[in-house]
Amino acid sequence: MRNLDDVENMVYDAASVTAMVIAAMSRTQNVRLKEIVDALVEHGHAFLKQVKLTDEEFEKGLDFLRAVGLACNDKHNEVVLLADVLGLSTLVTVLNNSDASGRTPGALLGPFYRGDSPQYAHGECIACEYSPGSPLFVSGRVLDTKGEPIPNAKVDVWQASPVGLYENQDASQPDKNLRGHFYTDGEGRFSFKSVRPAGYPVPTDGPVGALLEKQNRHPYRPAHLHFVVIAEGYATLVSQVFADDSEHLNSDVVFGVNRRLVGTFERHEPETGPKSAVDEPYYTLEYDFVLAKGTPTYPTPPIK
Ligand SMILES: [Fe+2]
């Protein structure tokens, strides 16, 4: 039999496994990739030791991840959903979008962002004429951290309907309904009309929904509008504005609510207030976005 004294890479115990894997990855040329995967292996191995994962549990976990992948298609991304309900997406957002500059906090992009939304002029409606619901008039400014307006900023908005469905989940809505983008004017202003969104449950028909049920968690998000704000010379803002009177503001299933992102949805009686021509109860929302200097980035839509 071969003398094995000179063979170093052999399994002796749990610690030797981690050391072997780290050594095997030691020639990774990309320094950042090495840092990330080394830490992933070290923390992953520590996790297995902490919970003393059994063979059966390991198989179940692998089956779960396989099911998450298989549940993805062009219109639904179960991987994003899993990251969201475990707080991973929000943690990454907070780590990368919080500082003392005074900029608006980021919030997660979510699984419903689509690229190339229709462009609208100031004040136009992003809801098609067959979209029933309480009218909502949104206005605001895009400012820098000194309070100066940022003209020509792209304000991209998307939202769920008054029954809590995005258009790609709802055959009754036309393509790209409740989605649109605007460019701010010389004073950094934008405005549009819409219908008031409802809170909604995240999709629960896949493996992530089964996990939520086992965890005895509700699947709801409070009502919100999504925004991506992009301007030359500034870091892109991906965020959400939440309705202050919404249910589940205290228990968002994806942990997105930041105090500074709660907007005042002011209710007005018919023929009163700033839009007195409206003959039914309506809402107004005024919200300013503050961008920090930086390089614009363009988020990748998780669905087509
Ligand atoms: Fe959403």
Side-chain angles (χ1 to χ4, degrees), residues 84 89-90 93 106-111 158 221 226 238-240 254-256:
D84 290 353
S89 309
T90 290
T93 299
L108 46 93
L109 183 70
W158 68 105
R221 303 214 59 211
H226 288 265
V238 176
S239 199
Q240 301 177 22
V254 301
F255 313 101

Side-chain angles (χ1 to χ4, degrees), residues 86-144:
L86 294 181
L88 304 177
S89 309
T90 290
L91 180 55
V92 171
T93 299
V94 170
L95 289 171
N96 288 288
N97 297 277
S98 301
D99 56 35
S101 71
R103 64 173 161 165
T104 302
L108 46 93
L109 183 70
F112 298 114
Y113 177 59
R114 295 176 69 184
D116 60 7
S117 65
Q119 184 175 336
Y120 290 105
H122 285 261
E124 281 195 309
C125 189
I126 63 170
C128 84
E129 56 184 308
Y130 304 112
S131 294
S134 299
L136 169 67
F137 295 87
V138 181
S139 60
R141 291 173 301 165
V142 179
L143 306 169
D144 67 16

